[in-house]
Amino acid sequence: MQRGQMLGIGIFGSIVAGTASMGVWQACLSNRYFWKVDLIETRRQRLKEAPVPLPLDASTENANADMEHRQLAVEGKFVPGKTFYLCPLASNPRSPPIDMSESKGKVTSGGFIYDLFERANGTSVIVNRGWLPKDEMEKHMAASVAPDASKVQLVGVMVHGEEEKTFSPPNEPVKRHFFWLNQPELAQAMMGPTTYTPILLEEFNEAPVVSKDSSSLVKKHKDQYLEFYMTPWKHAMYAGIWFSLALMGTGMVFYRFRSTAAVKKAAQKH
């Protein structure tokens, strides 16, 4: 075998090997299928259970895994003048949490409303009230709409703030405007200097709802807390694609260089 052929086999063989390794990587991730199924089922069972009272001293600092994906009940009142908005950049719109295809007009982006909720013992909780389209959000901000300050009981799911990214813009707490959800910063903007960070509860709907009124607050439904962007089936599908490409590549390399060698061998006989 000539040097050129060996070089060609080495180059194309490395491409095939790289493609096969991508398939192995995806296949290894697919082995998490049963783990993920169990995780989803655990979350499903927790969300089916009756709401449990949020511990009186609950905060981000002492929250534990048992509070995750569980209906948590709190009693107290919303604090007027403590409404903040998580509004999008044009390059990073906040999509609605549910299907808005039947709403009036074309809804493409919007933001979330956050209020401070004070409990009888003086501790606080930050509540995600829901999502509004961008134009309705701007009206809400301009009107300085205050929440009902009467005593209420609400149920929500504990969620977490966001991590700052490389190009995350600075928030504007003075304007009650956040571009990304910095939970400690939001807590300080709502409460002033504080020794703890309140947990973040997200209000939700019991069942899927298709919003037809773009002016009403839009909330998630419980099943959405069971969703994963990258499912095990996607990993398996990608693994199959990579392995198929590797198999075809192997056949092409074998055919190409075997045929070349056969032609040269026949030519030498003549």
Side-chain angles (χ1 to χ4, degrees), residues 125-169:
V125 175
I126 299 174
V127 181
N128 179 350
R129 307 297 306 279
W131 180 94
L132 280 177
K134 187 176 180 181
D135 55 345
E136 295 295 333
M137 175 72 72
E138 291 173 350
K139 293 177 184 178
H140 197 283
M141 294 175 69
S144 298
V145 179
D148 184 358
S150 58
K151 188 176 181 180
V152 295
Q153 184 178 52
L154 63 85
V155 176
V157 173
M158 184 176 72
V159 293
H160 301 284
E162 299 170 339
E163 295 291 334
E164 184 176 10
K165 298 179 181 178
T166 304
F167 299 105
S168 295

Side-chain angles (χ1 to χ4, degrees), residues 183-215:
Q183 194 170 344
E185 185 181 17
L186 178 59
Q188 289 192 10
M190 286 181 163
M191 304 169 60
T194 177
T195 57
Y196 72 99
T197 302
I199 70 165
L200 182 59
L201 286 185
E202 192 168 78
E203 291 187 295
F204 61 88
N205 289 319
E206 284 288 334
V209 176
V210 177
S211 178
K212 297 183 179 181
D213 181 7
S214 62
S215 64

